[in-house]
Amino acid sequence: MNSHCLTQPSPRVSSVPDAINSAADIAGAVTARTMSAKEAIDAALARIARYDGILNSFTDITAERARARARAIDTAIAAGQTVGPLAGVPFAVKNLFDVAGLPTRAGAKINRELPPAARDATLIERMEAAGAVLVGALNMGEYAYDFTGENIHDGPSRNPHDTTRMSGGSSGGSGSAVGGGLVPIALGSDTNGSIRVPSSFCGIFGLKPTYGRLSRARSFPFVASFDHLGPFARCAADLALAYDAMQGPDSDDAACTTRPVEPVTPRLGDGIGDLRIAIAGGHFQTNLFLEARQAIAHVATALGATQTVEVPEAARARAAAYVITTTEGASLHLDRLRKRPHDFDPAVRDRLLAGAMIPAPLVDRAQKFRRWYREQVLKLFETVDVLIAPATPCVAPRLGQATFVLDGVELPVRANIGLHTQPISFIGLPVVAVPVALAPMPIGVQIIAAPWREDVALRVAHALERMGAVSAPPPKGL
Amino acid sequence: MADPLDEYIDAVATALRLPIEEAWKPSVKANLDVSLKLARMVDEFALPDATEPASIFRA
């Protein structure tokens, strides 16, 4: 299997800071000793130093730690030891992951007063156990209650294809850093779309695994019912490498599965001939700008998908997700809302205050509806293997844009970017967001599979890459 | 006549000890209005009495 990014501009790995190498290429070169881990990390740090003043994707750069780790990898390889499939690969994490020695700010002013984390998040430990090297923490929307990538305290992370536009949220820095080629892999969280939205806006691949697949231990929560962690990359093969490295049970996360590790990388190139692929209809074909319709048609044509299936009550599912989110979020932050209301982003604070006022029976009914909806969607997966749906209604809006017009109705941007992602994360389905490189701005499409079938979604993403139908475009103007 | 939603916001804020300044109220109200509309959309959907919430706990 060819595990390299298929659409990178250069097939040769390079330590020149301007080169955008895939994780697989870097790990291959470091393992083969044609590049040292030190060179790989120095190149990433140089690129961050050169371009992050434009993108504002990083909030912390862990250069000293990264260089020490790179030296250890080079020493191990020189001694003939096996380092792992991500040897020397630089990566960064949304700043809601615990990084030992840093306060876990979660995009908030309040949290940066916390004592430094004593230990890395489980997923960082697993990435580093596979040879990857953490180079920093990434900007995000406050407390992850965001689809824009804007942050009142740290400034917005910026879209690498047009820096006047949103990166998407809430994992905006993750999207910006990978889209801008600063790191080949970043980790983020997705509660209602926060991996898929930045992937769409920044033109990269993102994996939101099945709910419970990857440990959330030692990450700052938002909505325990919906919180997922997952990787971003510039190709499906790199997503699979990171995903495989991070799988496994973890008693430190009550929701984490005890299923055995199910590696995807060995099966990534198996093709899609056996898969039944359909287009999600109804709710997923409303509230779309022309570019989102074009992207769906493009991917459907590439996959030979002609059948449209109705996802029953998807709009109501989005409504239920909204209600559970705002109430669980309010519960999480209730004490901070009482004691530190002036230290929140007002837009976040006022949504949370409103969330505290939803009567409990309505939340209980939303959780009961969730059970019903899950059963209906699982029935769909008896006749199809994959659903394709838009990731966002439009390409990245301008920074600061407050409203857009969807199906003739002017709506707030911030609350409605996730219209098509929320009904999917609501029941924890695995999704790969794939980038369609429309000009001038890319846009994503969701490849949705049945629970625990990340392998299917990643195979489809990889096949689309092989066809040349999807790709992560090089950043413009960096 | 006072808007019942304004009175509701004041009452819940008092009950939950949430300090809501006058200047924030229009935004809180707008957000609550959207959330309640969406909650009503879920509320209208009839479900069997035996439906378990998705958040059930397994011992």
Side-chain angles (χ1 to χ4, degrees), chain A residues 313 315-316 319-320 322-323 337-338 341-342 349-351 354 356-359 365-372, chain B residues 8-9 12 16-17 19-21 24 27-28 31-32 34-35 38-39 41-43 45 47 51-54 56:
Chain A
E313 298 292 346
R316 213 180 302 271
Y322 194 103
V323 170
L337 289 168
R338 289 179 180 128
H342 292 276
R349 178 196 62 213
D350 295 348
R351 291 173 88 187
M357 299 182 174
I358 305 295
R365 290 178 77 87
Q367 285 285 13
K368 286 178 174 170
F369 175 80
R370 188 181 179 204
R371 174 78 58 192
W372 178 89
Chain B
Y8 177 78
I9 290 169
V12 178
L16 293 179
R17 294 180 289 110
I20 301 183
E21 296 183 6
W24 308 347
S27 171
V28 172
N31 279 295
L32 182 57
V34 170
S35 296
L38 293 169
M41 188 175 165
V42 179
D43 187 23
F45 191 77
L47 288 167
T51 306
E52 294 273 11
I56 58 167

Side-chain angles (χ1 to χ4, degrees), chain A residues 2-8 10-14 19-32 35-37 40-41 44 84-92 127 130-133 178 181-187 231-243 245 265 465:
Chain A
N2 180 358
S3 63
H4 300 268
C5 284
L6 303 174
T7 52
Q8 294 296 333
S10 167
R12 294 175 61 81
V13 66
S14 170
I20 300 177
N21 298 308
S22 74
D25 285 343
I26 293 169
V30 170
T31 301
M35 175 195 274
S36 67
I41 298 309
L86 292 170
V89 173
F91 77 106
M127 287 287 287
V133 179
V178 173
L182 305 189
V183 283
I185 293 174
L187 305 184
F232 297 78
R234 299 184 63 82
C235 60
D238 282 0
L239 273 190
L241 277 175
Y243 169 65
T265 299
E465 264 186 290

Side-chain angles (χ1 to χ4, degrees), chain A residues 132-399:
Chain A
V133 179
L134 183 75
V135 297
L138 297 160
N139 201 349
M140 61 175 281
E142 186 178 68
Y143 289 130
Y145 206 175
D146 170 58
F147 282 131
T148 66
E150 297 176 347
N151 183 299
I152 197 169
H153 314 295
D154 294 310
S157 53
R158 294 179 180 274
N159 194 297
H161 306 290
D162 178 345
T163 55
T164 68
R165 292 180 185 263
M166 295 175 182
S167 58
S170 62
S171 311
S174 305
S176 180
V178 173
L182 305 189
V183 283
I185 293 174
L187 305 184
S189 67
D190 188 317
T191 301
N192 282 297
S194 290
I195 287 175
R196 293 161 288 162
V197 168
S199 296
S200 178
F201 286 175
C202 294
I204 56 175
F205 294 76
L207 170 63
K208 186 206 76 62
T210 308
Y211 179 77
R213 173 71 87 172
L214 296 182
S215 170
R216 304 168 303 179
R218 296 181 297 285
S219 65
F220 196 83
F222 174 23
V223 179
S225 296
F226 302 153
D227 287 344
H228 309 66
L229 303 182
F232 297 78
R234 299 184 63 82
C235 60
D238 282 0
L239 273 190
L241 277 175
Y243 169 65
D244 286 349
M246 294 189 289
Q247 288 186 53
D250 186 357
S251 59
D252 288 343
D253 176 1
C256 190
T257 184
T258 55
R259 295 168 72 96
V261 173
E262 298 171 302
V264 171
T265 299
R267 300 183 54 201
L268 199 58
D270 283 358
I272 57 169
D274 58 328
L275 299 178
R276 300 162 295 176
I277 302 173
I279 304 159
H283 173 77
F284 295 98
Q285 294 188 356
T286 64
N287 294 307
L288 296 173
F289 282 66
L290 178 62
E291 60 264 28
R293 295 187 190 281
Q294 288 174 332
I296 288 290
H298 174 78
V299 168
T301 301
L303 295 173
T306 55
Q307 181 193 6
T308 297
V309 297
E310 179 79 22
V311 180
E313 298 292 346
R316 213 180 302 271
R318 185 260 172 172
Y322 194 103
V323 170
I324 293 169
T325 297
T326 197
T327 53
E328 281 197 28
S331 167
L332 174 69
H333 293 293
L334 209 55
D335 287 337
R336 281 178 283 273
L337 289 168
R338 289 179 180 128
K339 295 174 185 165
R340 306 281 299 269
H342 292 276
D343 291 328
F344 280 81
D345 176 342
V348 174
R349 178 196 62 213
D350 295 348
R351 291 173 88 187
L352 292 171
L353 285 169
M357 299 182 174
I358 305 295
L362 298 178
V363 184
D364 184 59
R365 290 178 77 87
Q367 285 285 13
K368 286 178 174 170
F369 175 80
R370 188 181 179 204
R371 174 78 58 192
W372 178 89
Y373 175 71
R374 173 183 176 272
E375 288 168 5
Q376 308 310 307
V377 177
L378 292 188
K379 281 182 198 161
L380 269 186
F381 280 108
E382 293 172 4
T383 57
V384 302
D385 299 299
V386 172
L387 290 171
I388 58 178
T392 51
C394 54
V395 298
R398 299 277 175 198
L399 284 165

